[in-house]
Amino acid sequence: MSSDASPLTFTGFGGLKLAAEGFGNPEQPVVLLLHGGAMNRRVWRDAAVALAAAGRYAITIDLRGHGQSEWAKDGRYDLDAYAADLRAVLDQLQTRPVVVGASIGGYVAMAAMADGGSALASGLVLVDAGLTMEPGESQRVSEILRRHAKGFDNIEDACAGSAELSPQHRASSPESLRRHMRQDAAGRFYWPWDPQFLSGVDNAALNALQGKVSDLKIPTMIMRGEDSKVTTEADIANLRALMPSAEFIQVEAASHHVASERSDVFNATLLEFLERRLPRAPITYEAGSDARTLRDAMGCFGTGVVVATTRGAEGSPDGLTANSFTSVSLDPPLLLVCIAKSARSLAAFESSGSFAVNVLHIGQQLDSARFARRAEDRFSAAEWETWETGAPILKASLASIECDKHAWHDGGDHIILVGKVRRAAFEPRRDPLLYFRGAYRRLHLT
Ligand SMILES: Cc1cc2nc3c(=O)[nH]c(=O)nc-3n(C[C@H](O)[C@H](O)[C@H](O)COP(=O)(O)O)c2cc1C
């Protein structure tokens, strides 16, 4: 198996260039690896080679101000800036990778995925990253980094400084260290980190994530080094309480740098997690297998969301949320929507000679939820009007289309309701509410 890596460049927040490398076949499912503070992407090399050998495409990336990535000219090394970098990278990948983040890399992953951002990734692995940094160890590392911020006179001093930092920073030889250090015109050696990054991420920023990480609806694994001085058992217990569906593994004989201290255990655990929770092979439905898998397959087709409305036999407004809507014909103007035979509102659509389809915009997610929930007074909270047929038209929808009933076909456990359009009005400026893989989405226009 080749361990060759291809250089990659991403554009982060504010146009900052981020250096990265790809290992393996880019057609395979992507795993994006984020290192910790005062590290660089090279710490993932073993893991990246193992991932590529297991049929994944591993991308290792230097965080801003680290390794070969650009330094932030404005000195921004706060969690929001790192998270905006990650979101920009995920946008550029055009696939939803599994994100593996160690230490600060883990904090960055959580920050980028909080507040609904988890739709950008398919899985998350947090390596010795809780929501609190124990001050002792981070202060020790900061103190060493600050002490040497003005660089080293010679490579031997740099070797000694690196060894003091952590066993992971100890260079195998002065020559190998020389390759990774910056050297200025006067011959001084500098670690490849912008010293300003040290003041970037603090416990206040991490604590602010407390209420935001609980709803990550993607397979997640939390790892801790048993002897870690940065992430305590109590930190991890707190994180696990916030993310009850996350898997947890504590790695023995490892401290903060789990992936390099116990690369054998780390690689095996990561690969096993990926194969089990995020298998590479496509998931298959065969006629007769479970409906859930078929639903998931159908959920690969991204749609908009509509509320179909009509009047019941007594004239009361009725309707439901649907995404099985499609335009059918321009001449004559026809559309269809499929309504479950089990839907309570089906009787109203059956008895009425007309109905309307209201296409929802991004601000109408609550309307969508209300028209999908049972036992809700769906219309009292909605602003609506009527046009010619009396079918309720939800005001301020992205589009509303009023129809005469044209056909009523059997469609298995649904009815295919075909309408002939009488009138349609739409709002040209707003974005649609989208639905994909069982979750609401918004347009990402690049
Ligand atoms: C995004 C989304 C799309 C839906 N699409 C459909 C659909 O196409 N057809 C359908 O019958 N139900 C669909 N539903 C489910 C109904 O909205 C839901 O079952 C509703 O409670 C039915 O209301 P009723 O039983 O009062 O008629 C969808 C729900 C959501 C959230």
Side-chain angles (χ1 to χ4, degrees):
M1 175 71 210
S2 158
S3 56
D4 289 351
S6 321
L8 301 168
T9 307
F10 293 97
T11 304
F13 173 54
L16 189 137
K17 294 282 174 243
L18 299 167
E21 275 174 307
F23 296 72
N25 176 354
E27 295 303 313
Q28 299 294 344
V30 179
V31 181
L32 179 68
L33 300 125
L34 308 176
H35 61 78
M39 286 277 167
N40 61 40
R41 63 179 195 266
R42 293 168 22 81
V43 291
W44 294 119
R45 197 179 163 81
D46 273 2
V49 171
L51 284 163
R56 310 262 167 184
Y57 182 55
I59 298 179
T60 62
I61 188 162
D62 285 338
L63 296 179
R64 57 170 52 216
H66 289 72
Q68 294 170 330
S69 287
E70 280 184 347
W71 292 12
K73 292 187 188 68
D74 55 4
R76 278 201 63 183
Y77 292 102
D78 52 285
L79 208 44
D80 286 348
Y82 285 119
D85 283 342
L86 176 54
R87 274 195 228 100
V89 170
L90 293 172
D91 233 22
Q92 285 155 66
L93 281 174
Q94 297 184 346
T95 174
R96 296 188 310 135
V98 174
V99 177
V100 180
S103 187
I104 289 185
Y107 310 149
V108 173
M110 284 189 273
M113 288 178 206
D115 284 338
S118 57
L120 294 168
S122 57
L124 174 65
V125 178
L126 298 170
V127 187
D128 220 64
L131 289 176
T132 318
M133 281 181 285
E134 282 312 300
E137 179 62 6
S138 5
Q139 272 162 14
R140 187 190 72 83
V141 171
S142 294
E143 187 277 314
I144 300 170
L145 293 174
R146 280 185 219 282
R147 184 149 38 87
H148 297 297
K150 294 210 166 58
F152 299 93
D153 293 341
N154 52 55
I155 199 69
E156 287 72 26
D157 286 356
C159 278
S162 299
E164 188 188 355
L165 207 49
S166 78
Q168 279 58 47
H169 288 83
R170 190 190 303 275
S172 54
S173 69
E175 280 324 299
S176 82
L177 187 63
R178 188 191 295 275
R179 280 201 301 276
H180 307 299
M181 299 212 56
R182 285 190 311 112
Q183 198 173 7
D184 68 10
R188 289 185 72 72
F189 291 92
Y190 298 86
W191 278 321
W193 311 301
D194 182 348
Q196 292 193 79
F197 98 84
L198 288 168
S199 42
V201 177
D202 55 19
N203 275 333
L206 289 178
N207 285 333
L209 293 177
Q210 292 272 357
K212 300 182 182 171
V213 293
S214 53
D215 58 348
L216 304 183
K217 295 190 186 79
I218 50 176
T220 300
M221 179 165 65
I222 297 171
M223 267 194 209
R224 173 175 183 266
E226 192 179 29
D227 308 321
S228 175
K229 293 198 192 91
V230 178
T231 311
T232 64
E233 277 182 70
D235 299 336
I236 289 295
N238 171 33
L239 187 63
R240 290 179 65 196
L242 292 169
M243 296 177 160
S245 56
E247 298 184 15
F248 172 62
I249 172 143
Q250 178 139 283
V251 181
E252 287 176 9
S255 59
H256 187 48
H257 301 282
V258 182
S260 45
E261 290 170 62
R262 295 298 312 274
S263 64
D264 51 343
V265 178
F266 175 80
N267 294 350
T269 307
L270 177 62
L271 292 178
E272 189 276 329
F273 170 75
L274 294 176
E275 234 18 66
R276 186 165 42 78
R277 299 293 305 277
L278 296 139
R280 279 178 313 127
I283 302 164
T284 311
Y285 169 85
E286 307 278 356
S289 30
D290 66 317
R292 176 79 237 176
T293 310
L294 179 61
R295 214 173 150 148
D296 291 348
M298 298 304 177
C300 294
F301 185 60
T303 65
V305 182
V306 305
V307 170
T309 52
T310 191
R311 295 274 187 166
E314 267 85 59
S316 52
D318 211 337
L320 80 169
T321 301
N323 67 339
S324 59
F325 162 68
T326 186
S327 140
V328 174
S329 159
L330 288 178
D331 187 14
L334 301 178
L335 56 75
L336 70 77
V337 60
C338 301
I339 302 177
K341 287 181 181 170
S342 59
R344 186 204 42 78
S345 57
L346 185 72
F349 285 98
E350 191 168 18
S351 65
S352 175
S354 56
F355 68 98
V357 170
N358 300 276
V359 181
L360 302 188
H361 62 69
I362 189 67
Q364 289 179 296
Q365 193 174 322
L366 289 178
D367 289 314
S368 173
R370 198 170 55 250
F371 278 89
R373 265 198 304 266
R374 295 208 171 242
E376 279 270 341
D377 184 356
R378 295 175 179 173
F379 284 88
S380 66
E383 279 198 51
W384 57 282
E385 62 187 9
T386 54
W387 291 346
E388 294 167 24
T389 67
I393 304 293
L394 299 189
K395 284 190 187 175
S397 296
L398 191 56
S400 288
I401 311 164
E402 186 173 46
C403 304
D404 290 319
K405 189 191 276 173
H406 181 76
W408 180 268
H409 298 293
D410 184 73
D413 56 12
H414 280 58
I415 290 293
I416 305 165
L417 171 60
V418 183
K420 186 167 179 189
V421 178
R422 274 189 185 221
R423 182 175 171 193
F426 63 95
E427 133 81 89
R429 287 169 297 274
R430 300 190 88 140
D431 280 355
L433 177 64
L434 301 180
Y435 198 71
F436 173 63
R437 291 214 165 110
Y440 293 109
R441 315 283 175 148
R442 59 167 60 241
L443 277 183
H444 288 282
L445 295 176
T446 46

